[in-house]
Amino acid sequence: MSSSPAATSAVPTAPFVVVANRLPVDRIQLEDGSTDWRTSPGGLVTALQPVMRKNHGAWVGWHGAADEELEPFVDAGIQLMPVALSSQEVEEYYEGFSNATLWPLYHDVVAHPEFHREWWDSYVTVNQRFADLTATVAEQGAVVWVQDYQLQLVPQMLRAQRPDLKIGFFLHIPFPPTELYQQLPWRNQILEGLLGADLVGFQLPGGAQNFLRLVRQRLQYPTHRERISMPGGRTVTARAYPISIDTQGMADLANAPATVARAEEIRRDLGDPKYVFLGVDRLDYTKGLPERVQAFGELVSDGTIDPEEAVFVQVATPSRERVDHYRRLRDDIDRLVGRFNGDIGRIGRPPITYLHSSYPKEEMAALYRAADVMVVTPLRDGMNLVAKEYVACRTDEDGALVLSEFAGAAKELRQAYLVNPYDIDGMKAQLLQAMNDSPRSKIRRMRMLRRQVFENDIDRWATLFLNDLGSPASAARAG
Ligand code: F6P
């Protein structure tokens, strides 16, 4: 919990600054009607909290409400620097350019990206606002780490004002193949924006290679392996850093007696079926929800899976609800789940339990513990941390992970039951395989998956990135 935002005259400065679209806090309503802030459950905050505390770090980001100016405030020992957005900017920069242009374009155009010049103008204006505030917050020679697709122009805008800074950028979503990226009317501006950083990080080597190829083709800057030679003699590095989770923290949570008890209760509430399948996603069209529901629904309706024996629980967290594609997806899923349950369910036992809601991480850990088969089948995903969380929570070494080949996590989690989510029959076969595999085979797979996520946790991710950036913040963190 934090002190409430208090008016300050001078802007606080810091030697380490994270810049992200959102601040790492959620506003909560207290019983007496007042509001306060609670640290968001996200992995990035968990990873960076120790670095931030040790280095008196600051976090620049939007607090999530339109038309509201907040003064800087401190939460959980981190200096927070709110960036204000007007409702028009929320519409044009956030819902528009970030989530209706870049998001679908970077996810293999699984939905049609919209290109609007006024959205671009707003993206430029807001990126400039983030850069300007960061320039006033960062101390001389500070390390600045910019996050994700909403802020791709910030590195260049910041460098123009503050050449003394060390600037890192990390893209959490896929960087698309060159043929798709080229559709973007502002393709060169965004490449130049990213090249303001000293180090540009991607989830996968393929993303870094796409970026390097575009830099050569479109901007004619020479590259050698991962390095780009910029005019004026500066060098930029583009490299993959697959993000991860707080593995030990998740495992501890899964082992807590309250979680174990809750997992048993969930299974009881579901009617003690032999098999529980689980999906957990933001309600996003990249996540492949209709294909997954179709595959499971067909297995039940064609008699391969007995609905007395198996249930599917799908948690879909509400997301970007004012963006058209998201609104339509919500209706489609409602209809599809309703149709299957209507056709194949019976009183008190729907084969698919659909929860359009978000839950605290204690409840998620209990769900992971309760699930025999975790189904993570996005059409395209930068990484997918749900897959890693499930593995971290299977401290019993039981359980099976069905994972899309098109999730970044599939490059690391090779022992999962891999599927092409566009291939409904192939997906049905793998769901069955995961359900019916021998306990020996499941344990062998799960052990290897667990080794992977324990060796490569979020701490290692942040340390590798900051070391490569040459950040003194990383040394302070290890000490
Ligand atoms: O990388 C994906 C991402 O945009 C993150 O930056 C963010 O935490 C998450 O999806 C949720 O998105 P939003 O901030 O649009 O709710």
Side-chain angles (χ1 to χ4, degrees), residues 17-326:
V17 186
V18 169
V19 191
N21 178 52
R22 286 188 190 265
L23 285 176
V25 286
D26 300 316
R27 201 184 325 232
I28 52 161
Q29 185 110 30
L30 300 177
E31 273 175 14
D32 65 3
S34 63
T35 59
D36 204 343
W37 299 93
R38 190 176 47 199
T39 308
S40 323
L44 189 63
V45 198
T46 316
L48 296 179
Q49 230 163 24
V51 199
M52 301 289 279
R53 290 217 188 101
K54 278 187 191 151
N55 296 283
H56 309 286
W59 190 303
V60 175
W62 176 46
H63 49 279
D67 300 317
E68 183 187 32
E69 304 239 0
L70 292 182
E71 292 295 332
F73 63 106
V74 174
D75 177 88
I78 300 176
Q79 178 64 56
L80 302 182
M81 307 296 304
V83 176
L85 296 183
S86 68
S87 35
Q88 190 175 350
E89 286 165 347
V90 172
E91 231 173 82
E92 296 183 345
Y93 147 78
Y94 170 69
E95 294 165 350
F97 199 79
S98 296
N99 289 315
T101 305
L102 294 174
W103 182 267
L105 182 70
Y106 281 32
H107 285 87
D108 277 5
V109 299
V110 297
H112 187 67
E114 288 182 48
F115 301 115
H116 297 294
R117 285 164 284 186
E118 59 281 17
W119 289 2
W120 165 252
D121 292 341
S122 181
Y123 186 78
V124 175
T125 306
V126 172
N127 271 245
Q128 188 67 58
R129 188 172 309 143
F130 274 81
D132 292 348
L133 181 57
T134 308
T136 62
V137 174
E139 277 177 6
Q140 181 68 25
V143 172
V144 177
W145 195 358
V146 184
Q147 310 288 327
D148 229 351
Y149 61 102
Q150 302 94 341
L151 301 176
Q152 293 173 98
L153 304 177
V154 169
Q156 183 192 29
M157 290 168 164
L158 195 53
R159 182 167 298 283
Q161 300 181 57
R162 294 290 306 274
D164 58 296
L165 302 175
K166 255 190 213 315
I167 304 173
F169 179 92
F170 184 75
L171 185 70
H172 292 248
I173 67 173
F175 191 82
T178 52
E179 297 76 11
L180 297 180
Y181 184 83
Q182 311 262 25
Q183 292 180 11
L184 190 64
W186 308 278
R187 54 202 180 179
N188 286 10
Q189 289 96 312
I190 287 191
L191 293 175
E192 292 282 9
L194 292 169
L195 287 168
D198 299 292
L199 176 60
V200 186
F202 298 87
Q203 298 280 22
L204 299 181
Q209 281 150 20
N210 292 343
F211 175 71
L212 287 159
R213 191 170 312 133
L214 279 160
V215 165
R216 278 194 303 274
Q217 285 174 355
R218 300 221 52 84
L219 306 176
Q220 284 86 45
Y221 296 154
T223 68
H224 180 66
R225 302 223 166 105
E226 299 167 314
R227 292 198 198 290
I228 303 151
S229 304
M230 298 293 290
R234 203 165 61 81
T235 304
V236 180
T237 303
R239 187 174 291 163
Y241 300 86
I243 199 168
S244 191
I245 57 164
D246 173 16
T247 312
Q248 192 57 54
M250 272 318 277
D252 292 346
L253 189 58
N255 273 341
T259 312
V260 177
R262 176 65 188 139
E264 283 164 11
E265 188 181 33
I266 290 172
R267 287 193 76 106
R268 261 199 313 279
D269 289 350
L270 290 168
D272 270 325
K274 197 162 165 200
Y275 303 105
V276 175
F277 289 75
L278 174 67
V280 173
D281 307 83
R282 263 188 322 100
L283 187 49
D284 193 297
Y285 52 81
T286 59
K287 303 292 183 184
L289 266 69
E291 291 79 359
R292 187 185 308 169
V293 169
Q294 182 73 30
F296 183 79
E298 281 186 20
L299 282 170
V300 176
S301 56
D302 64 20
T304 316
I305 283 185
D306 178 356
E308 297 296 321
E309 277 197 351
V311 296
F312 199 116
V313 178
Q314 176 64 55
V315 175
T317 311
S319 182
R320 305 172 189 164
E321 292 183 292
R322 298 195 323 172
V323 178
D324 263 357
H325 278 298
Y326 290 77

Side-chain angles (χ1 to χ4, degrees), residues 11 338 342 370 392 442 468:
V11 173
K442 286 206 284 192
D468 285 356

Side-chain angles (χ1 to χ4, degrees), residues 370-429:
D372 302 289
V373 182
M374 183 77 213
V375 190
V376 182
T377 54
L379 305 177
R380 174 60 72 197
D381 211 331
M383 177 52 60
N384 198 295
L385 298 179
V386 164
K388 294 188 174 182
E389 285 177 359
Y390 176 70
V391 170
C393 285
R394 298 315 305 214
T395 52
D396 53 3
E397 297 184 331
D398 198 359
L401 172 65
V402 175
L403 180 61
S404 165
E405 294 163 21
F406 305 127
K411 296 280 176 291
E412 296 170 281
L413 304 180
R414 304 303 300 165
Q415 301 302 322
Y417 300 83
L418 296 175
V419 296
N420 168 2
Y422 293 97
D423 171 10
I424 303 290
D425 286 338
M427 189 146 55
K428 286 166 73 178

